[in-house]
Structure formats: C-alpha cells, structure tokens
Amino acid sequence: MSNSVLDVINNRTSLRVYDNREISQEILDKILHAAMRAPTAGNQMLYSILVVRDEQTRKLLSQSCDHQAFIATAPVILIFLADHQRWFDYYQLNGVAEYCDREGLRFEAPQESDLLLAIEDAMAAAQNAVIAAESLGIGSCYIGDIVENYEFHKELFDLPDWAFPIGMLCLGYYRENHLKKPRERFDKQYIVFEEKYKHLSPEEYQQMFAQREQTFHEDNPYHADNFAQAFYARKTGASFSKEMARSVRVAMKAWDGRLLNPKAPNKR
C-alpha cells in the first residue's frame, strides 16, 4: 500500500548540496503554511520560525553550528524556536499577574515542562516543513547544532529568554540528476514496542547493530576497539556534544518557574 505522502516520506534524505536556485517567496510561504498546520498543544503554537536568507548570517551559522560549511550554501535557513515568550508578553499586557495576585494564584515564569512542551510544538512544525518542502522538490537537512553556542545565537537573533532555538533546517533545491540514497534505519522490532518498554537482550543488540558494525575500521582515529567506542568518541563524547550540553544548561537557567512580580515587567 502506498500513496504520494508515503512516497515523499520514504524517499526523503538529508540534502547538503544544493542547486543554484532561489526559493521563491510563494514556495516558501507554502512550506511555512504547512509548518503552521502542524499539531500544537492547546492551539497555542508555542514556537516561532526565523527565516534566514542573509549571506553573512548563513556564514556565521556555518561556523557556530559545528563548522559545517554547507550551511552557508543553503538558499534558505529556517530556525525553529521553542517559544513561550509570546504568551507571557500577552499575559503581561492583559494583567494576568495582577489577576493571579487577586485570586491567590501563582504567576510563574515558564519552567522546564513548558520548554519541553514548546519543543514538541516546534519540532512538529519543523517536520511538517520538511515534508512540504520535499513534496515541492526542495531538500532539507536538520541541524541540531543550533542548540550550541547559546549566548552567540541569542545575541545574533535578538532572542528573549523564553525563546530557545531547538532546531534548524537548511533548505534548497536538489541538483539535476541527484541520486537519493535513503539510509537504512534500525528494524522496527528494536524500536516499536507493544504496551510497555522492552529491554533488549545482548543478542538483540548484536543483531540491531550488525549492519552498522560492519562499517567499523580498526585503524580508526579514535583508537577504539569496536563500533560502539568509535561512535561514542565521534558523537556522544565529542567536543560539540559537550558544548551542546553547556549551552543548554545556560539557556535552562531562564526556564525556572520563578514567581513573577505583578507590579513590574519581568526583565532580566
């Protein structure tokens, strides 16, 4: 069983080399509209989308996002912000702090749970944008490294405390005769469980990673003895991951659920 939507999903791959064609505003608007039709908690739309076309900004992002040169060549970049700032600005404008004071409620700043909910909204919107773009012949590549270098990105995009850059998409047309090679995913039996979580056995882990372990080379630059060790060194334990962790810790300091002063704007 297949249809055009499933075909788009199944054939989509990350694109890092783009054709020398601009994405028109009309086409971009279709992608953004699709993003904004994504599911959202309580119809709050707890995200904002930054559209980046400026060449200098794209060059800066290619450096700040783990030195990936191809980022600068993408005609359009979309940055998805997990955003509670807009709702809390609205609350401030409409006397919610005073209302809470009058009714004995706690008027609290956004906290960790609010950030997680906004992330869900933002990434649902981002994936809608990916599928819409793909259906229009426009490839994409997720850049998770936008969560690194929080202070730099906060200043670059004039971000308030409660708008956190959680995802970034590079968009561009496929080059003529581009050959798509969808990468193999783990088998469903290791990812999808019925009713309760399943702890995999050593044998199942061996089967799950068998294909990827074939890519391991003993003369690797990490002095690793196996695929797991090499992958940890390249990804999980790498310097960019440590920077990502540091950056998120800095950003999280604002999402603390502190009581807000009903008599003055909340400025940090």
Side-chain angles (χ1 to χ4, degrees):
M1 182 182 297
S2 184
N3 58 45
S4 59
V5 176
L6 293 176
D7 288 343
V8 168
I9 293 172
N10 289 328
N11 293 326
R12 186 257 169 198
T13 62
S14 293
L15 185 67
R16 296 177 175 84
V17 179
Y18 309 103
D19 192 40
N20 189 27
R21 277 191 288 166
E22 294 298 319
I23 298 174
S24 70
Q25 188 62 49
E26 179 183 10
I27 293 297
L28 182 58
D29 283 343
K30 292 182 183 296
I31 295 170
L32 293 171
H33 178 76
M36 294 171 65
R37 293 304 304 165
T40 167
N43 202 25
Q44 297 175 84
M45 299 179 74
L46 299 172
Y47 59 87
S48 292
I49 306 171
L50 304 182
V51 179
V52 178
R53 281 188 166 124
D54 179 74
E55 181 179 3
Q56 183 58 31
T57 303
R58 287 184 285 124
K59 287 181 178 178
L60 289 172
L61 288 170
S62 73
Q63 295 302 308
S64 63
C65 294
D66 200 31
H67 305 282
Q68 300 181 79
F70 81 91
I71 293 173
T73 69
V76 174
I77 290 173
L78 301 181
I79 298 175
F80 289 80
L81 309 174
D83 186 359
H84 266 282
Q85 188 69 48
R86 184 166 49 241
W87 275 93
F88 273 79
D89 288 348
Y90 178 68
Y91 290 157
Q92 296 277 8
L93 287 171
N94 287 276
V96 172
E98 292 79 6
Y99 165 77
C100 288
D101 191 49
R102 185 184 78 218
E103 297 296 323
L105 301 174
R106 293 169 62 88
F107 185 46
E108 299 173 316
Q111 45 204 302
E112 297 89 343
S113 58
D114 297 306
L115 175 59
L116 291 177
L117 194 64
I119 289 172
E120 291 181 17
D121 266 21
M123 297 315 295
Q127 187 61 11
N128 260 26
V130 164
I131 300 306
E134 187 73 18
S135 74
L136 295 167
I138 295 171
S140 59
C141 185
Y142 272 108
I143 306 295
D145 301 284
I146 189 64
V147 305
E148 296 178 42
N149 296 304
Y150 172 70
E151 301 90 337
F152 174 76
H153 293 137
K154 190 174 193 291
E155 181 177 355
L156 180 64
F157 296 112
D158 195 24
L159 301 178
D161 281 349
W162 300 324
F164 180 62
I166 191 61
M168 188 169 95
L169 287 177
C170 293
L171 298 177
Y173 282 100
Y174 287 91
R175 289 182 174 178
E176 188 176 359
N177 299 322
H178 176 84
L179 180 62
K180 293 184 180 180
K181 293 183 179 180
R183 301 175 70 183
E184 291 292 328
R185 303 302 195 208
F186 289 127
D187 191 84
K188 185 177 72 171
Q189 64 178 311
Y190 308 121
I191 305 297
V192 181
F193 308 136
E194 295 288 342
E195 306 297 343
K196 295 183 180 181
Y197 186 84
K198 177 183 177 181
H199 290 273
L200 301 181
S201 68
E203 292 76 21
E204 286 172 317
Y205 276 120
Q206 187 176 27
Q207 295 166 3
M208 177 180 178
F209 283 92
Q211 186 173 21
R212 300 197 183 189
E213 288 179 350
Q214 292 177 10
T215 67
F216 174 72
H217 297 285
E218 292 185 356
D219 59 343
N220 63 87
Y222 311 107
H223 310 291
D225 299 323
N226 55 47
F227 174 81
Q229 294 175 8
F231 193 86
Y232 182 90
R234 184 167 67 89
K235 290 285 188 180
T236 313
S239 59
F240 78 86
S241 289
K242 303 306 180 186
E243 164 53 27
M244 192 177 292
R246 184 209 65 81
S247 181
V248 170
R249 289 191 189 102
V250 172
M252 288 291 291
K253 291 178 181 179
W255 300 77
D256 58 1
R258 64 186 176 279
L259 286 175
L260 300 178
N261 186 349
K263 299 180 180 179
N266 184 60
K267 295 183 179 180
R268 294 174 65 87

